[in-house]
Amino acid sequence: MKILAVTACPSGVAHTYMSAEAIAKKCRDRGWEVKVETQGSIGIENVITEEDVKTADAVILTKDMPIKNEERFKGKLIARVAIGDAIRKTDAILNKIERTVKKG
């Protein structure tokens, strides 16, 4: 499974990076490929490429702030989650994505 994620929070500091780390860790723990782009106070880091999007099974987008360049994910399975849920409910989010991908 390959997961992409973009995280952003209103202040662009702690929660942006905490959620990115939580998603990356939980995906790696499952043996999944993962790439997380952060859109924080210092700008966009770890930019998701067109090639990344082509090969992704699903995309997680935090919904507390508008995500820049969101149109690049058109046609992909997208899970929109609160930034706090990306930190505290990561396993539940990934379980739901996995079930949805398996259903086709």
Side-chain angles (χ1 to χ4, degrees), residues 69-96:
N69 307 314
E70 186 177 324
E71 65 280 353
R72 64 193 147 152
F73 305 117
K74 185 177 181 184
K76 288 293 177 179
L77 172 65
I78 296 176
R80 294 182 193 280
V81 301
I83 196 95
D85 289 347
I87 297 166
R88 292 184 298 276
K89 299 179 180 179
T90 316
D91 279 321
I93 292 164
L94 296 178
N95 289 341
K96 186 171 183 177

PDB file of all heavy atoms in Angstrom, residues 69-96:
ATOM      1  N   ASN A  69      -2.407  23.361  -3.806  1.00  0.00           N
ATOM      2  CA  ASN A  69      -2.236  22.447  -4.945  1.00  0.00           C
ATOM      3  C   ASN A  69      -3.015  21.136  -4.783  1.00  0.00           C
ATOM      4  O   ASN A  69      -2.593  20.096  -5.263  1.00  0.00           O
ATOM      5  CB  ASN A  69      -0.749  22.143  -5.175  1.00  0.00           C
ATOM      6  CG  ASN A  69       0.076  23.390  -5.309  1.00  0.00           C
ATOM      7  OD1 ASN A  69      -0.300  24.318  -6.018  1.00  0.00           O
ATOM      8  ND2 ASN A  69       1.187  23.452  -4.607  1.00  0.00           N
ATOM      9  N   GLU A  70      -4.158  21.208  -4.139  1.00  0.00           N
ATOM     10  CA  GLU A  70      -4.970  20.016  -3.887  1.00  0.00           C
ATOM     11  C   GLU A  70      -5.454  19.351  -5.181  1.00  0.00           C
ATOM     12  O   GLU A  70      -5.671  18.140  -5.212  1.00  0.00           O
ATOM     13  CB  GLU A  70      -6.159  20.393  -3.008  1.00  0.00           C
ATOM     14  CG  GLU A  70      -6.989  19.226  -2.572  1.00  0.00           C
ATOM     15  CD  GLU A  70      -8.126  19.615  -1.651  1.00  0.00           C
ATOM     16  OE1 GLU A  70      -7.978  20.532  -0.817  1.00  0.00           O
ATOM     17  OE2 GLU A  70      -9.180  18.973  -1.778  1.00  0.00           O
ATOM     18  N   GLU A  71      -5.583  20.130  -6.239  1.00  0.00           N
ATOM     19  CA  GLU A  71      -6.107  19.591  -7.497  1.00  0.00           C
ATOM     20  C   GLU A  71      -5.242  18.461  -8.056  1.00  0.00           C
ATOM     21  O   GLU A  71      -5.725  17.635  -8.832  1.00  0.00           O
ATOM     22  CB  GLU A  71      -6.255  20.706  -8.541  1.00  0.00           C
ATOM     23  CG  GLU A  71      -4.970  21.348  -9.000  1.00  0.00           C
ATOM     24  CD  GLU A  71      -4.395  22.411  -8.050  1.00  0.00           C
ATOM     25  OE1 GLU A  71      -5.052  22.777  -7.051  1.00  0.00           O
ATOM     26  OE2 GLU A  71      -3.268  22.859  -8.310  1.00  0.00           O
ATOM     27  N   ARG A  72      -4.003  18.349  -7.644  1.00  0.00           N
ATOM     28  CA  ARG A  72      -3.126  17.283  -8.156  1.00  0.00           C
ATOM     29  C   ARG A  72      -3.572  15.891  -7.727  1.00  0.00           C
ATOM     30  O   ARG A  72      -3.151  14.893  -8.288  1.00  0.00           O
ATOM     31  CB  ARG A  72      -1.675  17.533  -7.734  1.00  0.00           C
ATOM     32  CG  ARG A  72      -1.483  17.480  -6.226  1.00  0.00           C
ATOM     33  CD  ARG A  72      -0.138  18.030  -5.822  1.00  0.00           C
ATOM     34  NE  ARG A  72      -0.320  18.665  -4.534  1.00  0.00           N
ATOM     35  CZ  ARG A  72       0.610  18.790  -3.635  1.00  0.00           C
ATOM     36  NH1 ARG A  72       1.829  18.366  -3.889  1.00  0.00           N
ATOM     37  NH2 ARG A  72       0.360  19.367  -2.496  1.00  0.00           N
ATOM     38  N   PHE A  73      -4.490  15.818  -6.755  1.00  0.00           N
ATOM     39  CA  PHE A  73      -4.970  14.534  -6.254  1.00  0.00           C
ATOM     40  C   PHE A  73      -6.303  14.108  -6.863  1.00  0.00           C
ATOM     41  O   PHE A  73      -6.899  13.122  -6.441  1.00  0.00           O
ATOM     42  CB  PHE A  73      -5.077  14.572  -4.728  1.00  0.00           C
ATOM     43  CG  PHE A  73      -3.791  14.958  -4.055  1.00  0.00           C
ATOM     44  CD1 PHE A  73      -3.698  16.115  -3.306  1.00  0.00           C
ATOM     45  CD2 PHE A  73      -2.656  14.167  -4.191  1.00  0.00           C
ATOM     46  CE1 PHE A  73      -2.503  16.485  -2.694  1.00  0.00           C
ATOM     47  CE2 PHE A  73      -1.452  14.523  -3.589  1.00  0.00           C
ATOM     48  CZ  PHE A  73      -1.386  15.686  -2.843  1.00  0.00           C
ATOM     49  N   LYS A  74      -6.771  14.846  -7.856  1.00  0.00           N
ATOM     50  CA  LYS A  74      -8.053  14.536  -8.489  1.00  0.00           C
ATOM     51  C   LYS A  74      -8.058  13.080  -8.978  1.00  0.00           C
ATOM     52  O   LYS A  74      -7.114  12.622  -9.612  1.00  0.00           O
ATOM     53  CB  LYS A  74      -8.306  15.485  -9.659  1.00  0.00           C
ATOM     54  CG  LYS A  74      -9.665  15.304 -10.288  1.00  0.00           C
ATOM     55  CD  LYS A  74      -9.905  16.303 -11.392  1.00  0.00           C
ATOM     56  CE  LYS A  74     -11.302  16.064 -11.954  1.00  0.00           C
ATOM     57  NZ  LYS A  74     -11.576  16.929 -13.077  1.00  0.00           N
ATOM     58  N   GLY A  75      -9.138  12.372  -8.653  1.00  0.00           N
ATOM     59  CA  GLY A  75      -9.284  10.982  -9.071  1.00  0.00           C
ATOM     60  C   GLY A  75      -8.720   9.971  -8.090  1.00  0.00           C
ATOM     61  O   GLY A  75      -8.897   8.766  -8.271  1.00  0.00           O
ATOM     62  N   LYS A  76      -8.049  10.418  -7.070  1.00  0.00           N
ATOM     63  CA  LYS A  76      -7.491   9.523  -6.054  1.00  0.00           C
ATOM     64  C   LYS A  76      -8.461   9.382  -4.884  1.00  0.00           C
ATOM     65  O   LYS A  76      -9.268  10.274  -4.615  1.00  0.00           O
ATOM     66  CB  LYS A  76      -6.154  10.081  -5.521  1.00  0.00           C
ATOM     67  CG  LYS A  76      -5.022   9.975  -6.495  1.00  0.00           C
ATOM     68  CD  LYS A  76      -4.666   8.521  -6.721  1.00  0.00           C
ATOM     69  CE  LYS A  76      -3.582   8.333  -7.728  1.00  0.00           C
ATOM     70  NZ  LYS A  76      -3.233   6.930  -7.915  1.00  0.00           N
ATOM     71  N   LEU A  77      -8.356   8.265  -4.174  1.00  0.00           N
ATOM     72  CA  LEU A  77      -9.097   8.087  -2.924  1.00  0.00           C
ATOM     73  C   LEU A  77      -8.521   9.079  -1.919  1.00  0.00           C
ATOM     74  O   LEU A  77      -7.316   9.058  -1.658  1.00  0.00           O
ATOM     75  CB  LEU A  77      -8.942   6.657  -2.410  1.00  0.00           C
ATOM     76  CG  LEU A  77      -9.491   6.378  -1.019  1.00  0.00           C
ATOM     77  CD1 LEU A  77     -11.010   6.556  -0.992  1.00  0.00           C
ATOM     78  CD2 LEU A  77      -9.116   4.987  -0.573  1.00  0.00           C
ATOM     79  N   ILE A  78      -9.376   9.961  -1.399  1.00  0.00           N
ATOM     80  CA  ILE A  78      -8.927  10.990  -0.462  1.00  0.00           C
ATOM     81  C   ILE A  78      -9.655  10.846   0.864  1.00  0.00           C
ATOM     82  O   ILE A  78     -10.878  10.743   0.897  1.00  0.00           O
ATOM     83  CB  ILE A  78      -9.164  12.402  -1.039  1.00  0.00           C
ATOM     84  CG1 ILE A  78      -8.309  12.610  -2.290  1.00  0.00           C
ATOM     85  CG2 ILE A  78      -8.860  13.481   0.004  1.00  0.00           C
ATOM     86  CD1 ILE A  78      -8.533  13.926  -2.997  1.00  0.00           C
ATOM     87  N   ALA A  79      -8.875  10.841   1.941  1.00  0.00           N
ATOM     88  CA  ALA A  79      -9.424  10.866   3.296  1.00  0.00           C
ATOM     89  C   ALA A  79      -9.128  12.251   3.865  1.00  0.00           C
ATOM     90  O   ALA A  79      -7.967  12.638   3.993  1.00  0.00           O
ATOM     91  CB  ALA A  79      -8.782   9.787   4.153  1.00  0.00           C
ATOM     92  N   ARG A  80     -10.181  12.998   4.180  1.00  0.00           N
ATOM     93  CA  ARG A  80     -10.016  14.328   4.793  1.00  0.00           C
ATOM     94  C   ARG A  80     -10.224  14.173   6.294  1.00  0.00           C
ATOM     95  O   ARG A  80     -11.282  13.711   6.726  1.00  0.00           O
ATOM     96  CB  ARG A  80     -11.033  15.301   4.224  1.00  0.00           C
ATOM     97  CG  ARG A  80     -10.805  15.580   2.765  1.00  0.00           C
ATOM     98  CD  ARG A  80     -11.817  16.597   2.229  1.00  0.00           C
ATOM     99  NE  ARG A  80     -11.785  16.640   0.786  1.00  0.00           N
ATOM    100  CZ  ARG A  80     -10.876  17.298   0.068  1.00  0.00           C
ATOM    101  NH1 ARG A  80      -9.948  17.973   0.693  1.00  0.00           N
ATOM    102  NH2 ARG A  80     -10.912  17.277  -1.239  1.00  0.00           N
ATOM    103  N   VAL A  81      -9.217  14.577   7.046  1.00  0.00           N
ATOM    104  CA  VAL A  81      -9.260  14.361   8.489  1.00  0.00           C
ATOM    105  C   VAL A  81      -8.850  15.623   9.235  1.00  0.00           C
ATOM    106  O   VAL A  81      -8.082  16.441   8.724  1.00  0.00           O
ATOM    107  CB  VAL A  81      -8.347  13.182   8.897  1.00  0.00           C
ATOM    108  CG1 VAL A  81      -8.760  11.898   8.198  1.00  0.00           C
ATOM    109  CG2 VAL A  81      -6.891  13.472   8.626  1.00  0.00           C
ATOM    110  N   ALA A  82      -9.360  15.752  10.435  1.00  0.00           N
ATOM    111  CA  ALA A  82      -8.932  16.850  11.307  1.00  0.00           C
ATOM    112  C   ALA A  82      -7.482  16.599  11.719  1.00  0.00           C
ATOM    113  O   ALA A  82      -7.054  15.451  11.865  1.00  0.00           O
ATOM    114  CB  ALA A  82      -9.826  16.923  12.537  1.00  0.00           C
ATOM    115  N   ILE A  83      -6.749  17.665  11.901  1.00  0.00           N
ATOM    116  CA  ILE A  83      -5.333  17.548  12.253  1.00  0.00           C
ATOM    117  C   ILE A  83      -5.153  16.759  13.551  1.00  0.00           C
ATOM    118  O   ILE A  83      -4.260  15.930  13.656  1.00  0.00           O
ATOM    119  CB  ILE A  83      -4.654  18.937  12.310  1.00  0.00           C
ATOM    120  CG1 ILE A  83      -3.137  18.811  12.292  1.00  0.00           C
ATOM    121  CG2 ILE A  83      -5.067  19.731  13.514  1.00  0.00           C
ATOM    122  CD1 ILE A  83      -2.540  18.951  10.943  1.00  0.00           C
ATOM    123  N   GLY A  84      -6.028  16.980  14.521  1.00  0.00           N
ATOM    124  CA  GLY A  84      -5.947  16.240  15.777  1.00  0.00           C
ATOM    125  C   GLY A  84      -6.198  14.759  15.590  1.00  0.00           C
ATOM    126  O   GLY A  84      -5.556  13.918  16.238  1.00  0.00           O
ATOM    127  N   ASP A  85      -7.117  14.411  14.697  1.00  0.00           N
ATOM    128  CA  ASP A  85      -7.385  12.996  14.419  1.00  0.00           C
ATOM    129  C   ASP A  85      -6.195  12.347  13.727  1.00  0.00           C
ATOM    130  O   ASP A  85      -5.916  11.166  13.947  1.00  0.00           O
ATOM    131  CB  ASP A  85      -8.635  12.843  13.560  1.00  0.00           C
ATOM    132  CG  ASP A  85      -9.906  13.159  14.323  1.00  0.00           C
ATOM    133  OD1 ASP A  85      -9.860  13.260  15.577  1.00  0.00           O
ATOM    134  OD2 ASP A  85     -10.964  13.323  13.667  1.00  0.00           O
ATOM    135  N   ALA A  86      -5.500  13.089  12.893  1.00  0.00           N
ATOM    136  CA  ALA A  86      -4.314  12.541  12.224  1.00  0.00           C
ATOM    137  C   ALA A  86      -3.245  12.164  13.241  1.00  0.00           C
ATOM    138  O   ALA A  86      -2.453  11.252  13.008  1.00  0.00           O
ATOM    139  CB  ALA A  86      -3.762  13.543  11.220  1.00  0.00           C
ATOM    140  N   ILE A  87      -3.256  12.835  14.386  1.00  0.00           N
ATOM    141  CA  ILE A  87      -2.294  12.548  15.449  1.00  0.00           C
ATOM    142  C   ILE A  87      -2.805  11.435  16.358  1.00  0.00           C
ATOM    143  O   ILE A  87      -2.088  10.481  16.659  1.00  0.00           O
ATOM    144  CB  ILE A  87      -2.010  13.818  16.281  1.00  0.00           C
ATOM    145  CG1 ILE A  87      -1.365  14.886  15.404  1.00  0.00           C
ATOM    146  CG2 ILE A  87      -1.129  13.500  17.495  1.00  0.00           C
ATOM    147  CD1 ILE A  87      -1.347  16.277  16.008  1.00  0.00           C
ATOM    148  N   ARG A  88      -4.057  11.546  16.804  1.00  0.00           N
ATOM    149  CA  ARG A  88      -4.582  10.644  17.831  1.00  0.00           C
ATOM    150  C   ARG A  88      -5.322   9.425  17.293  1.00  0.00           C
ATOM    151  O   ARG A  88      -5.452   8.430  18.010  1.00  0.00           O
ATOM    152  CB  ARG A  88      -5.515  11.415  18.764  1.00  0.00           C
ATOM    153  CG  ARG A  88      -4.803  12.447  19.622  1.00  0.00           C
ATOM    154  CD  ARG A  88      -5.741  13.119  20.610  1.00  0.00           C
ATOM    155  NE  ARG A  88      -6.818  13.854  19.969  1.00  0.00           N
ATOM    156  CZ  ARG A  88      -6.729  15.091  19.506  1.00  0.00           C
ATOM    157  NH1 ARG A  88      -5.596  15.734  19.601  1.00  0.00           N
ATOM    158  NH2 ARG A  88      -7.766  15.687  18.956  1.00  0.00           N
ATOM    159  N   LYS A  89      -5.817   9.480  16.081  1.00  0.00           N
ATOM    160  CA  LYS A  89      -6.634   8.390  15.543  1.00  0.00           C
ATOM    161  C   LYS A  89      -6.048   7.835  14.246  1.00  0.00           C
ATOM    162  O   LYS A  89      -6.771   7.389  13.360  1.00  0.00           O
ATOM    163  CB  LYS A  89      -8.063   8.883  15.305  1.00  0.00           C
ATOM    164  CG  LYS A  89      -8.748   9.356  16.576  1.00  0.00           C
ATOM    165  CD  LYS A  89     -10.144   9.865  16.303  1.00  0.00           C
ATOM    166  CE  LYS A  89     -10.800  10.337  17.595  1.00  0.00           C
ATOM    167  NZ  LYS A  89     -12.147  10.859  17.352  1.00  0.00           N
ATOM    168  N   THR A  90      -4.742   7.847  14.166  1.00  0.00           N
ATOM    169  CA  THR A  90      -4.063   7.441  12.933  1.00  0.00           C
ATOM    170  C   THR A  90      -4.409   6.017  12.535  1.00  0.00           C
ATOM    171  O   THR A  90      -4.700   5.745  11.368  1.00  0.00           O
ATOM    172  CB  THR A  90      -2.530   7.592  13.083  1.00  0.00           C
ATOM    173  OG1 THR A  90      -2.241   8.832  13.722  1.00  0.00           O
ATOM    174  CG2 THR A  90      -1.844   7.543  11.731  1.00  0.00           C
ATOM    175  N   ASP A  91      -4.367   5.102  13.490  1.00  0.00           N
ATOM    176  CA  ASP A  91      -4.665   3.696  13.170  1.00  0.00           C
ATOM    177  C   ASP A  91      -6.068   3.538  12.601  1.00  0.00           C
ATOM    178  O   ASP A  91      -6.266   2.818  11.622  1.00  0.00           O
ATOM    179  CB  ASP A  91      -4.488   2.799  14.400  1.00  0.00           C
ATOM    180  CG  ASP A  91      -3.029   2.433  14.636  1.00  0.00           C
ATOM    181  OD1 ASP A  91      -2.303   2.190  13.649  1.00  0.00           O
ATOM    182  OD2 ASP A  91      -2.623   2.386  15.805  1.00  0.00           O
ATOM    183  N   ALA A  92      -7.039   4.205  13.201  1.00  0.00           N
ATOM    184  CA  ALA A  92      -8.424   4.109  12.718  1.00  0.00           C
ATOM    185  C   ALA A  92      -8.533   4.651  11.296  1.00  0.00           C
ATOM    186  O   ALA A  92      -9.226   4.069  10.451  1.00  0.00           O
ATOM    187  CB  ALA A  92      -9.373   4.851  13.654  1.00  0.00           C
ATOM    188  N   ILE A  93      -7.852   5.744  11.013  1.00  0.00           N
ATOM    189  CA  ILE A  93      -7.869   6.326   9.668  1.00  0.00           C
ATOM    190  C   ILE A  93      -7.262   5.345   8.666  1.00  0.00           C
ATOM    191  O   ILE A  93      -7.824   5.098   7.602  1.00  0.00           O
ATOM    192  CB  ILE A  93      -7.119   7.677   9.656  1.00  0.00           C
ATOM    193  CG1 ILE A  93      -7.893   8.717  10.471  1.00  0.00           C
ATOM    194  CG2 ILE A  93      -6.876   8.160   8.229  1.00  0.00           C
ATOM    195  CD1 ILE A  93      -7.079   9.943  10.850  1.00  0.00           C
ATOM    196  N   LEU A  94      -6.119   4.779   9.017  1.00  0.00           N
ATOM    197  CA  LEU A  94      -5.454   3.844   8.110  1.00  0.00           C
ATOM    198  C   LEU A  94      -6.265   2.566   7.922  1.00  0.00           C
ATOM    199  O   LEU A  94      -6.305   2.011   6.815  1.00  0.00           O
ATOM    200  CB  LEU A  94      -4.045   3.533   8.608  1.00  0.00           C
ATOM    201  CG  LEU A  94      -3.080   4.721   8.642  1.00  0.00           C
ATOM    202  CD1 LEU A  94      -1.722   4.299   9.191  1.00  0.00           C
ATOM    203  CD2 LEU A  94      -2.935   5.372   7.289  1.00  0.00           C
ATOM    204  N   ASN A  95      -6.919   2.104   8.986  1.00  0.00           N
ATOM    205  CA  ASN A  95      -7.777   0.919   8.860  1.00  0.00           C
ATOM    206  C   ASN A  95      -8.914   1.171   7.873  1.00  0.00           C
ATOM    207  O   ASN A  95      -9.238   0.317   7.045  1.00  0.00           O
ATOM    208  CB  ASN A  95      -8.355   0.517  10.218  1.00  0.00           C
ATOM    209  CG  ASN A  95      -7.318  -0.066  11.148  1.00  0.00           C
ATOM    210  OD1 ASN A  95      -6.249  -0.501  10.720  1.00  0.00           O
ATOM    211  ND2 ASN A  95      -7.611  -0.065  12.438  1.00  0.00           N
ATOM    212  N   LYS A  96      -9.522   2.344   7.968  1.00  0.00           N
ATOM    213  CA  LYS A  96     -10.628   2.681   7.061  1.00  0.00           C
ATOM    214  C   LYS A  96     -10.133   2.787   5.616  1.00  0.00           C
ATOM    215  O   LYS A  96     -10.793   2.305   4.695  1.00  0.00           O
ATOM    216  CB  LYS A  96     -11.282   3.987   7.502  1.00  0.00           C
ATOM    217  CG  LYS A  96     -12.523   4.325   6.717  1.00  0.00           C
ATOM    218  CD  LYS A  96     -13.265   5.497   7.301  1.00  0.00           C
ATOM    219  CE  LYS A  96     -14.539   5.739   6.516  1.00  0.00           C
ATOM    220  NZ  LYS A  96     -15.337   6.816   7.083  1.00  0.00           N
TER     221      LYS A  96
END
